Amino acid sequence: MISPVPDFFVWGISHKNAPLALREKCVLDPQGEAALCAILGECRLSEWVLLHTCNRVEIYGIGKIAPEVLAARFAELRGLPAPDLENVFYHAYGAKALSHLMCVAAGIESQMVGETEIFGQVKDAYAKAAAQGFTGALLNRLFQKTFQAVKDARSNSGVSRGQVSVGNVAVELGERIFGDMAQARVLVLGAGEVGEKTLQAMRSRGAEKITLASRTLEHARETAERCGGAFVLSLDEALAGLYRYDVVVASLAASEGILNGTLIQWALAKRKFEPMFFIDLALPRNVASIKGISDAYLYDLDDLSRIANENLRQRLAEVESCRRMLAEKAIKVWQSLCQRC
């Protein structure tokens, strides 16, 4: 028997309402995710899926709980004053919550509108929750219907035109700075998903002088091989030779401020103050504040989203068309579920 449909909700925070400095404090490591799931169990949710990306933390759940209670518990978990979340969290119920889920999975709620990585992240979040026994009949159905709806909407709209992704936008920024990326000496810090996509995008645009560094040298080697090759270093070796690079793309997990002001000033001095450009794709951010450091230029996720969305006006009609398709689909799915309950 499916749980009462009206109990379905979404609660979350994202780039839509929360500034980067606050989102950074909401990032969850595996222990934090486990602790949040324990809280959701204490709140007597019968089912839930936790979606956690660099720009959002969302809970899709079945149960009766005040959104303010979730905000208070989450603030406590992250060591934040409760008022910090009072004006930034959002919530919705029923068909509106389902429509939101569909729009998130389709990429039209993303910071880079139309990006495709989020679809895989939603699928992974659902699969993880299902494997841990956190989902049941209702969420299983809602997420499966979501995946079908998103595929249909993407096939019938141009919302993803341009292959929007963090990696592609990072390369576009590099091209704006250098013109020809083949001449730029590039260091990619982090061999995870973001680092790999950035490396792929760099190579596709003609960058040749690329070094990939990771905490685990073997991981960096495997990633470089999948992407067609790159010079590989350990993280310590890369930081010791930071001055050799024109562009540094940072995507290291849980390495807040690893590129600090002292290190950057040392690298610039070694370069005779030839400019360096830092593109920080990590959250928490890898690059500490460069305020007051001459010849160092820093771009973060918010900067990249502005670049990615410069052509949004051209795609706005497609975005709205996709949104309408998904809203209509959400209502139909919801009405069907209500009739069954």
Side-chain angles (χ1 to χ4, degrees), residues 121-174:
Q121 291 170 326
V122 173
K123 292 183 73 174
D124 288 346
Y126 164 69
K128 184 176 181 179
Q132 293 176 316
F134 296 150
T135 67
L138 182 52
L139 285 190
N140 289 340
R141 183 173 178 80
L142 293 179
F143 273 81
Q144 292 301 326
K145 289 294 184 181
T146 290
F147 301 146
Q148 295 171 13
V150 170
K151 289 177 182 178
D152 290 344
R154 283 187 173 276
S155 298
N156 293 290
S157 74
V159 68
S160 300
R161 188 175 296 126
Q163 293 299 307
V164 179
S165 73
V166 170
N168 283 329
V169 177
V171 176
E172 182 180 335
L173 177 58

Short mmCIF file of all heavy atoms in Angstrom, two decimals, residues 121-174:
data_model
loop_
_atom_site.label_atom_id
_atom_site.label_comp_id
_atom_site.label_asym_id
_atom_site.label_seq_id
_atom_site.Cartn_x
_atom_site.Cartn_y
_atom_site.Cartn_z
N GLN A 121 23.60 12.86 -11.12
CA GLN A 121 23.69 13.03 -9.67
C GLN A 121 22.38 12.67 -8.98
O GLN A 121 22.38 12.07 -7.90
CB GLN A 121 24.10 14.47 -9.35
CG GLN A 121 25.53 14.79 -9.77
CD GLN A 121 25.84 16.28 -9.66
OE1 GLN A 121 24.99 17.14 -9.90
NE2 GLN A 121 27.08 16.58 -9.32
N VAL A 122 21.25 13.04 -9.60
CA VAL A 122 19.95 12.67 -9.03
C VAL A 122 19.77 11.15 -9.08
O VAL A 122 19.31 10.54 -8.10
CB VAL A 122 18.80 13.37 -9.79
CG1 VAL A 122 17.44 12.86 -9.31
CG2 VAL A 122 18.88 14.89 -9.59
N LYS A 123 20.15 10.54 -10.18
CA LYS A 123 20.03 9.08 -10.29
C LYS A 123 20.91 8.39 -9.25
O LYS A 123 20.49 7.40 -8.62
CB LYS A 123 20.41 8.63 -11.70
CG LYS A 123 19.43 9.07 -12.78
CD LYS A 123 19.81 8.54 -14.16
CE LYS A 123 19.54 7.07 -14.27
NZ LYS A 123 19.76 6.57 -15.66
N ASP A 124 22.11 8.92 -9.06
CA ASP A 124 23.01 8.32 -8.06
C ASP A 124 22.46 8.47 -6.65
O ASP A 124 22.56 7.55 -5.82
CB ASP A 124 24.39 8.98 -8.14
CG ASP A 124 25.15 8.58 -9.40
OD1 ASP A 124 24.75 7.61 -10.06
OD2 ASP A 124 26.14 9.27 -9.73
N ALA A 125 21.89 9.66 -6.35
CA ALA A 125 21.32 9.89 -5.01
C ALA A 125 20.17 8.93 -4.74
O ALA A 125 20.05 8.37 -3.64
CB ALA A 125 20.84 11.34 -4.88
N TYR A 126 19.33 8.74 -5.75
CA TYR A 126 18.20 7.81 -5.59
C TYR A 126 18.70 6.38 -5.41
O TYR A 126 18.24 5.64 -4.53
CB TYR A 126 17.28 7.90 -6.81
CG TYR A 126 16.33 6.74 -6.90
CD1 TYR A 126 15.30 6.59 -5.97
CD2 TYR A 126 16.48 5.76 -7.88
CE1 TYR A 126 14.44 5.50 -6.04
CE2 TYR A 126 15.63 4.68 -7.95
CZ TYR A 126 14.60 4.55 -7.03
OH TYR A 126 13.77 3.46 -7.08
N ALA A 127 19.67 5.97 -6.25
CA ALA A 127 20.19 4.60 -6.16
C ALA A 127 20.83 4.35 -4.79
O ALA A 127 20.67 3.27 -4.21
CB ALA A 127 21.22 4.36 -7.28
N LYS A 128 21.53 5.35 -4.27
CA LYS A 128 22.16 5.20 -2.96
C LYS A 128 21.11 5.05 -1.86
O LYS A 128 21.23 4.18 -0.98
CB LYS A 128 23.04 6.41 -2.67
CG LYS A 128 23.82 6.33 -1.37
CD LYS A 128 24.74 7.53 -1.22
CE LYS A 128 25.55 7.45 0.07
NZ LYS A 128 26.48 8.62 0.20
N ALA A 129 20.06 5.88 -1.92
CA ALA A 129 18.99 5.80 -0.92
C ALA A 129 18.27 4.46 -1.01
O ALA A 129 17.95 3.84 0.01
CB ALA A 129 18.01 6.96 -1.11
N ALA A 130 18.02 4.00 -2.23
CA ALA A 130 17.33 2.72 -2.41
C ALA A 130 18.18 1.57 -1.87
O ALA A 130 17.66 0.66 -1.21
CB ALA A 130 17.01 2.51 -3.90
N ALA A 131 19.48 1.61 -2.14
CA ALA A 131 20.37 0.55 -1.66
C ALA A 131 20.44 0.50 -0.14
O ALA A 131 20.64 -0.56 0.45
CB ALA A 131 21.78 0.75 -2.24
N GLN A 132 20.26 1.66 0.50
CA GLN A 132 20.31 1.72 1.96
C GLN A 132 18.95 1.47 2.60
O GLN A 132 18.83 1.51 3.82
CB GLN A 132 20.85 3.09 2.40
CG GLN A 132 22.31 3.30 2.01
CD GLN A 132 22.80 4.70 2.36
OE1 GLN A 132 22.11 5.69 2.13
NE2 GLN A 132 23.98 4.78 2.93
N GLY A 133 17.94 1.22 1.77
CA GLY A 133 16.61 0.93 2.29
C GLY A 133 15.83 2.15 2.72
O GLY A 133 14.86 2.04 3.48
N PHE A 134 16.21 3.33 2.21
CA PHE A 134 15.53 4.56 2.62
C PHE A 134 14.33 4.89 1.74
O PHE A 134 13.56 5.80 2.05
CB PHE A 134 16.49 5.75 2.60
CG PHE A 134 17.63 5.63 3.58
CD1 PHE A 134 18.86 6.22 3.31
CD2 PHE A 134 17.47 4.95 4.77
CE1 PHE A 134 19.91 6.11 4.22
CE2 PHE A 134 18.51 4.84 5.68
CZ PHE A 134 19.74 5.42 5.40
N THR A 135 14.17 4.20 0.61
CA THR A 135 13.03 4.47 -0.27
C THR A 135 12.04 3.32 -0.19
O THR A 135 12.36 2.21 0.24
CB THR A 135 13.48 4.66 -1.73
OG1 THR A 135 13.99 3.42 -2.23
CG2 THR A 135 14.54 5.74 -1.85
N GLY A 136 10.82 3.63 -0.63
CA GLY A 136 9.76 2.62 -0.66
C GLY A 136 8.93 2.79 -1.91
O GLY A 136 9.37 3.40 -2.89
N ALA A 137 7.70 2.30 -1.88
CA ALA A 137 6.86 2.27 -3.08
C ALA A 137 6.64 3.64 -3.69
O ALA A 137 6.70 3.81 -4.91
CB ALA A 137 5.51 1.63 -2.73
N LEU A 138 6.41 4.66 -2.87
CA LEU A 138 6.07 5.97 -3.41
C LEU A 138 7.27 6.66 -4.03
O LEU A 138 7.24 7.10 -5.18
CB LEU A 138 5.46 6.86 -2.31
CG LEU A 138 5.02 8.25 -2.78
CD1 LEU A 138 4.12 8.16 -4.00
CD2 LEU A 138 4.31 8.99 -1.66
N LEU A 139 8.37 6.78 -3.30
CA LEU A 139 9.53 7.46 -3.86
C LEU A 139 10.11 6.68 -5.04
O LEU A 139 10.59 7.29 -6.01
CB LEU A 139 10.61 7.67 -2.81
CG LEU A 139 10.35 8.79 -1.80
CD1 LEU A 139 11.60 9.07 -0.96
CD2 LEU A 139 9.90 10.08 -2.49
N ASN A 140 10.05 5.36 -4.98
CA ASN A 140 10.52 4.58 -6.12
C ASN A 140 9.75 4.97 -7.39
O ASN A 140 10.33 5.20 -8.45
CB ASN A 140 10.35 3.08 -5.87
CG ASN A 140 11.33 2.55 -4.84
OD1 ASN A 140 12.35 3.17 -4.57
ND2 ASN A 140 11.00 1.42 -4.24
N ARG A 141 8.44 5.08 -7.24
CA ARG A 141 7.61 5.44 -8.40
C ARG A 141 7.87 6.88 -8.84
O ARG A 141 8.00 7.16 -10.04
CB ARG A 141 6.13 5.25 -8.05
CG ARG A 141 5.18 5.53 -9.20
CD ARG A 141 3.75 5.15 -8.85
NE ARG A 141 2.82 5.46 -9.92
CZ ARG A 141 2.63 4.71 -11.01
NH1 ARG A 141 3.32 3.59 -11.15
NH2 ARG A 141 1.75 5.06 -11.93
N LEU A 142 7.95 7.79 -7.90
CA LEU A 142 8.14 9.20 -8.25
C LEU A 142 9.48 9.44 -8.95
O LEU A 142 9.56 10.21 -9.91
CB LEU A 142 8.03 10.07 -7.00
CG LEU A 142 6.65 10.14 -6.35
CD1 LEU A 142 6.69 11.03 -5.10
CD2 LEU A 142 5.61 10.68 -7.33
N PHE A 143 10.52 8.80 -8.48
CA PHE A 143 11.82 9.01 -9.11
C PHE A 143 11.88 8.34 -10.48
O PHE A 143 12.46 8.90 -11.42
CB PHE A 143 12.94 8.51 -8.19
CG PHE A 143 13.41 9.56 -7.22
CD1 PHE A 143 12.71 9.81 -6.05
CD2 PHE A 143 14.51 10.35 -7.49
CE1 PHE A 143 13.11 10.79 -5.16
CE2 PHE A 143 14.94 11.34 -6.62
CZ PHE A 143 14.23 11.56 -5.44
N GLN A 144 11.29 7.16 -10.61
CA GLN A 144 11.29 6.51 -11.93
C GLN A 144 10.50 7.35 -12.94
O GLN A 144 10.91 7.51 -14.10
CB GLN A 144 10.70 5.10 -11.83
CG GLN A 144 11.57 4.12 -11.06
CD GLN A 144 12.96 3.96 -11.66
OE1 GLN A 144 13.14 4.03 -12.87
NE2 GLN A 144 13.96 3.75 -10.81
N LYS A 145 9.37 7.89 -12.50
CA LYS A 145 8.58 8.76 -13.38
C LYS A 145 9.36 10.04 -13.71
O LYS A 145 9.25 10.58 -14.82
CB LYS A 145 7.25 9.11 -12.72
CG LYS A 145 6.27 7.95 -12.64
CD LYS A 145 5.82 7.52 -14.04
CE LYS A 145 4.76 6.45 -13.99
NZ LYS A 145 4.33 6.01 -15.36
N THR A 146 10.13 10.51 -12.76
CA THR A 146 10.95 11.71 -12.99
C THR A 146 11.98 11.44 -14.09
O THR A 146 12.16 12.26 -15.01
CB THR A 146 11.67 12.13 -11.70
OG1 THR A 146 10.69 12.64 -10.78
CG2 THR A 146 12.71 13.20 -11.97
N PHE A 147 12.67 10.32 -14.01
CA PHE A 147 13.70 10.02 -15.00
C PHE A 147 13.09 9.91 -16.41
O PHE A 147 13.66 10.40 -17.39
CB PHE A 147 14.42 8.73 -14.64
CG PHE A 147 15.08 8.77 -13.29
CD1 PHE A 147 15.16 7.63 -12.48
CD2 PHE A 147 15.63 9.95 -12.80
CE1 PHE A 147 15.77 7.68 -11.25
CE2 PHE A 147 16.23 10.01 -11.55
CZ PHE A 147 16.31 8.87 -10.76
N GLN A 148 11.90 9.30 -16.50
CA GLN A 148 11.23 9.20 -17.79
C GLN A 148 10.85 10.57 -18.32
O GLN A 148 11.05 10.89 -19.50
CB GLN A 148 9.98 8.32 -17.66
CG GLN A 148 10.27 6.87 -17.33
CD GLN A 148 9.00 6.09 -16.99
OE1 GLN A 148 7.88 6.56 -17.23
NE2 GLN A 148 9.16 4.90 -16.44
N ALA A 149 10.30 11.41 -17.44
CA ALA A 149 9.84 12.74 -17.85
C ALA A 149 11.00 13.61 -18.31
O ALA A 149 10.88 14.35 -19.29
CB ALA A 149 9.11 13.41 -16.69
N VAL A 150 12.12 13.53 -17.62
CA VAL A 150 13.29 14.35 -17.98
C VAL A 150 13.82 13.94 -19.35
O VAL A 150 14.16 14.79 -20.18
CB VAL A 150 14.38 14.24 -16.90
CG1 VAL A 150 15.68 14.88 -17.38
CG2 VAL A 150 13.90 14.93 -15.62
N LYS A 151 13.92 12.64 -19.60
CA LYS A 151 14.40 12.19 -20.90
C LYS A 151 13.49 12.69 -22.02
O LYS A 151 13.97 13.14 -23.08
CB LYS A 151 14.49 10.66 -20.92
CG LYS A 151 15.61 10.10 -20.06
CD LYS A 151 15.60 8.58 -20.06
CE LYS A 151 16.70 8.03 -19.17
NZ LYS A 151 16.68 6.54 -19.11
N ASP A 152 12.19 12.62 -21.79
CA ASP A 152 11.23 13.10 -22.80
C ASP A 152 11.37 14.61 -23.00
O ASP A 152 11.39 15.09 -24.14
CB ASP A 152 9.80 12.78 -22.37
CG ASP A 152 9.49 11.29 -22.44
OD1 ASP A 152 10.26 10.56 -23.09
OD2 ASP A 152 8.50 10.87 -21.81
N ALA A 153 11.48 15.36 -21.91
CA ALA A 153 11.56 16.81 -22.00
C ALA A 153 12.84 17.26 -22.71
O ALA A 153 12.83 18.18 -23.53
CB ALA A 153 11.47 17.44 -20.61
N ARG A 154 13.94 16.60 -22.40
CA ARG A 154 15.21 16.96 -23.05
C ARG A 154 15.17 16.62 -24.54
O ARG A 154 15.74 17.34 -25.37
CB ARG A 154 16.38 16.23 -22.37
CG ARG A 154 16.78 16.87 -21.05
CD ARG A 154 18.03 16.21 -20.51
NE ARG A 154 18.54 16.90 -19.34
CZ ARG A 154 19.32 17.96 -19.37
NH1 ARG A 154 19.66 18.48 -20.53
NH2 ARG A 154 19.74 18.53 -18.26
N SER A 155 14.50 15.54 -24.89
CA SER A 155 14.41 15.15 -26.30
C SER A 155 13.54 16.11 -27.10
O SER A 155 13.73 16.27 -28.31
CB SER A 155 13.83 13.73 -26.42
OG SER A 155 14.68 12.79 -25.80
N ASN A 156 12.59 16.75 -26.43
CA ASN A 156 11.62 17.60 -27.11
C ASN A 156 11.82 19.08 -26.86
O ASN A 156 10.93 19.89 -27.13
CB ASN A 156 10.20 17.20 -26.70
CG ASN A 156 9.84 15.81 -27.20
OD1 ASN A 156 9.66 15.60 -28.39
ND2 ASN A 156 9.75 14.85 -26.29
N SER A 157 12.98 19.46 -26.34
CA SER A 157 13.30 20.88 -26.15
C SER A 157 14.79 21.07 -26.36
O SER A 157 15.56 20.11 -26.35
CB SER A 157 12.89 21.36 -24.76
OG SER A 157 13.78 20.87 -23.77
N GLY A 158 15.20 22.31 -26.53
CA GLY A 158 16.62 22.61 -26.74
C GLY A 158 17.28 23.14 -25.49
O GLY A 158 18.26 23.89 -25.58
N VAL A 159 16.78 22.72 -24.32
CA VAL A 159 17.27 23.29 -23.07
C VAL A 159 18.74 23.00 -22.84
O VAL A 159 19.44 23.78 -22.18
CB VAL A 159 16.41 22.78 -21.89
CG1 VAL A 159 16.62 21.29 -21.66
CG2 VAL A 159 16.70 23.56 -20.62
N SER A 160 19.24 21.89 -23.36
CA SER A 160 20.64 21.52 -23.13
C SER A 160 21.56 21.92 -24.28
O SER A 160 22.72 21.53 -24.31
CB SER A 160 20.75 20.00 -22.92
OG SER A 160 19.99 19.60 -21.82
N ARG A 161 21.04 22.72 -25.20
CA ARG A 161 21.85 23.11 -26.35
C ARG A 161 23.11 23.82 -25.88
O ARG A 161 23.08 24.68 -25.01
CB ARG A 161 21.05 24.02 -27.27
CG ARG A 161 21.72 24.32 -28.60
CD ARG A 161 20.81 25.14 -29.51
NE ARG A 161 19.63 24.36 -29.87
CZ ARG A 161 18.39 24.80 -29.68
NH1 ARG A 161 18.17 25.97 -29.13
NH2 ARG A 161 17.37 24.05 -30.04
N GLY A 162 24.24 23.44 -26.47
CA GLY A 162 25.49 24.08 -26.08
C GLY A 162 26.34 23.22 -25.17
O GLY A 162 27.46 23.58 -24.85
N GLN A 163 25.83 22.06 -24.74
CA GLN A 163 26.60 21.16 -23.87
C GLN A 163 27.17 21.91 -22.66
O GLN A 163 28.38 21.96 -22.44
CB GLN A 163 27.73 20.50 -24.67
CG GLN A 163 27.23 19.55 -25.74
CD GLN A 163 26.44 18.38 -25.16
OE1 GLN A 163 26.90 17.69 -24.28
NE2 GLN A 163 25.24 18.18 -25.67
N VAL A 164 26.29 22.50 -21.89
CA VAL A 164 26.70 23.26 -20.72
C VAL A 164 27.26 22.32 -19.66
O VAL A 164 26.63 21.33 -19.29
CB VAL A 164 25.50 24.04 -20.13
CG1 VAL A 164 25.93 24.82 -18.90
CG2 VAL A 164 24.94 24.99 -21.18
N SER A 165 28.46 22.62 -19.17
CA SER A 165 29.04 21.86 -18.07
C SER A 165 30.11 22.70 -17.42
O SER A 165 30.63 23.66 -18.02
CB SER A 165 29.66 20.54 -18.57
OG SER A 165 30.86 20.79 -19.29
N VAL A 166 30.45 22.36 -16.17
CA VAL A 166 31.49 23.09 -15.47
C VAL A 166 32.80 23.03 -16.24
O VAL A 166 33.49 24.04 -16.40
CB VAL A 166 31.68 22.52 -14.04
CG1 VAL A 166 32.92 23.10 -13.39
CG2 VAL A 166 30.45 22.84 -13.19
N GLY A 167 33.14 21.84 -16.75
CA GLY A 167 34.39 21.69 -17.48
C GLY A 167 34.44 22.56 -18.72
O GLY A 167 35.44 23.25 -18.98
N ASN A 168 33.37 22.55 -19.51
CA ASN A 168 33.35 23.35 -20.73
C ASN A 168 33.42 24.84 -20.44
O ASN A 168 34.08 25.59 -21.16
CB ASN A 168 32.08 23.03 -21.53
CG ASN A 168 32.18 21.71 -22.28
OD1 ASN A 168 33.25 21.31 -22.68
ND2 ASN A 168 31.06 21.05 -22.44
N VAL A 169 32.74 25.28 -19.39
CA VAL A 169 32.76 26.70 -19.06
C VAL A 169 34.13 27.11 -18.55
O VAL A 169 34.62 28.20 -18.84
CB VAL A 169 31.66 27.04 -18.03
CG1 VAL A 169 31.73 28.51 -17.64
CG2 VAL A 169 30.28 26.74 -18.61
N ALA A 170 34.78 26.23 -17.78
CA ALA A 170 36.13 26.53 -17.32
C ALA A 170 37.08 26.72 -18.50
O ALA A 170 37.92 27.62 -18.51
CB ALA A 170 36.64 25.41 -16.41
N VAL A 171 36.92 25.88 -19.52
CA VAL A 171 37.76 26.00 -20.71
C VAL A 171 37.42 27.28 -21.47
O VAL A 171 38.31 27.98 -21.96
CB VAL A 171 37.59 24.78 -21.63
CG1 VAL A 171 38.39 24.97 -22.91
CG2 VAL A 171 38.06 23.53 -20.92
N GLU A 172 36.13 27.60 -21.56
CA GLU A 172 35.74 28.85 -22.23
C GLU A 172 36.37 30.05 -21.54
O GLU A 172 36.85 30.98 -22.20
CB GLU A 172 34.22 28.99 -22.24
CG GLU A 172 33.75 30.25 -22.95
CD GLU A 172 32.24 30.40 -22.97
OE1 GLU A 172 31.55 29.36 -22.87
OE2 GLU A 172 31.76 31.54 -23.07
N LEU A 173 36.40 30.01 -20.22
CA LEU A 173 37.04 31.09 -19.48
C LEU A 173 38.53 31.14 -19.79
O LEU A 173 39.10 32.22 -20.00
CB LEU A 173 36.82 30.89 -17.97
CG LEU A 173 37.49 31.90 -17.04
CD1 LEU A 173 37.04 33.33 -17.36
CD2 LEU A 173 37.17 31.57 -15.59
N GLY A 174 39.17 29.98 -19.85
CA GLY A 174 40.58 29.94 -20.19
C GLY A 174 40.84 30.53 -21.57
O GLY A 174 41.83 31.25 -21.78
#
